[in-house]
Amino acid sequence: MEKTNQAYYQDKVALITGAASGFGLGFTKKILELGARSVWMGDYASEALAKAAAGIAQKYPGKVHTAVCDCRKKEDVFRFVQTAAEEEGCLDFLFNNAGIPCTCPLINIPPEKFLELVQVNYLGVVYGTMAALPFFEAQGWGHVINTASAGGLMPGVYQSSYASTKAAVISFTQCLDMEYSDRDIHFTSISPTNVATNIFKIDVIAKMRQEGHTEEEIEDAIKKIPAPEYAIPLNEAVDYIFANIPQQEVNITVGDWTKEGYDLYRKDYNKFKESLELLRLSRKAYFEAVARGENPVFPG
């Protein structure tokens, strides 16, 4: 792995959505480790956010700030960005990271669920970027980093809802990279494959929150759910991303499968499709078993 350009992050101000766990929490820790002046953490899960921030603030006193931010709501996102930028006097990095997964046959997805995916995964990115751009333009510098997915680069199996929102994020990022090519304002999308985050446990987390469980109870429960063996460790993925952000490339692909799969997808779609046939069949069998009232293990 190439060496991280630490100077790119030193004394900078960053804002991160979806910061209570997963990539967002990993980004928060990493940029502080690299010398950031201040990090603003946003998440809709207030209890989880407070707990995550408290742990980091002990190591980096005075550098961690939080705001409850529901990325489905334009007002929340604009208020979060504006508050951070105005209180700090600048804003250097915007990590539009909040997102929710969905692997499910389209016919089984209520329209309201699809709308929620669009609101969080795509419109949350749009709102954050719109809110930050006036500050970036005024100061003549800024870098927007949007968490997309390998599923946004190429088709996913039973992921028409999720993958299409991530494809929108990638296109949005690329268009802005063109639009601002003559200024020192940069746009990067991150497209990881399977990384060992709570994305594999999101349904359990959501269900337990609905049932009124505490964050401690949820944390204890999800510790017992292992990530798939093929998942990349989160710290490795974060280190790779932060080593590549200073290159200001429009897209960072994370994981060998992402690079190899995307290459195959572009060169030979039929062969790419064939390579996913076993996964398609196993997921099809899973959803059929669920429809019969069984409780199968999701095939990954």
Side-chain angles (χ1 to χ4, degrees), residues 154-199:
M154 51 195 153
V157 180
Y158 288 100
Q159 289 190 322
S160 59
S161 55
Y162 173 76
S164 60
T165 63
K166 294 301 188 178
V169 168
I170 292 170
S171 180
F172 179 72
T173 306
Q174 291 172 338
C175 288
L176 286 170
D177 178 66
M178 293 276 191
E179 189 171 327
Y180 281 83
S181 61
D182 60 343
R183 282 172 276 185
D184 198 15
I185 299 173
H186 308 282
F187 301 86
T188 298
S189 63
I190 300 164
S191 296
T193 185
N194 296 303
V195 176
T197 70
N198 286 343
I199 194 170

Side-chain angles (χ1 to χ4, degrees), residues 78-127:
F78 270 74
R79 186 184 306 114
F80 181 33
V81 173
Q82 289 168 355
T83 299
E86 289 170 1
E87 289 199 15
E88 295 287 348
C90 69
L91 179 63
D92 299 291
F93 295 103
L94 169 65
F95 289 81
N96 288 310
N97 171 73
I100 50 177
C102 184
T103 301
C104 186
L106 182 63
I107 198 169
N108 294 345
I109 301 174
E112 295 78 13
K113 176 64 176 178
F114 204 121
L115 176 60
E116 183 183 32
L117 287 160
V118 172
Q119 289 172 325
V120 177
N121 294 355
Y122 179 48
L123 289 181
V125 171
V126 174
Y127 296 152

Side-chain angles (χ1 to χ4, degrees), residues 136-150:
F136 288 167
E137 289 196 356
Q139 68 194 22
W141 144 261
H143 198 154
V144 179
I145 298 100
N146 299 324
T147 301
S149 169

Side-chain angles (χ1 to χ4, degrees), residues 5-10 12 93 141-143 186 245-246 248:
N5 178 5
Q6 188 168 348
Y8 196 72
Y9 305 102
Q10 283 183 326
K12 299 296 198 303
F93 295 103
W141 144 261
H143 198 154
H186 308 282
I245 286 173
Q248 299 173 346

Side-chain angles (χ1 to χ4, degrees), residues 43-44 67-82:
D43 204 289
Y44 81 100
V68 176
C69 178
D70 185 342
C71 286
R72 294 172 297 184
K73 301 175 181 177
K74 178 188 70 176
E75 296 79 10
D76 269 25
V77 180
F78 270 74
R79 186 184 306 114
F80 181 33
V81 173
Q82 289 168 355

Side-chain angles (χ1 to χ4, degrees), residues 154-155 157 257 260-280:
M154 51 195 153
V157 180
W257 187 88
E260 293 166 6
Y262 187 45
D263 188 53
L264 180 61
Y265 163 68
R266 288 180 296 173
K267 291 178 179 178
D268 191 336
Y269 175 76
N270 288 330
K271 196 169 182 179
F272 169 82
K273 187 177 176 181
E274 287 173 10
S275 73
L276 293 177
E277 181 61 10
L278 286 178
L279 179 61
R280 186 191 72 81

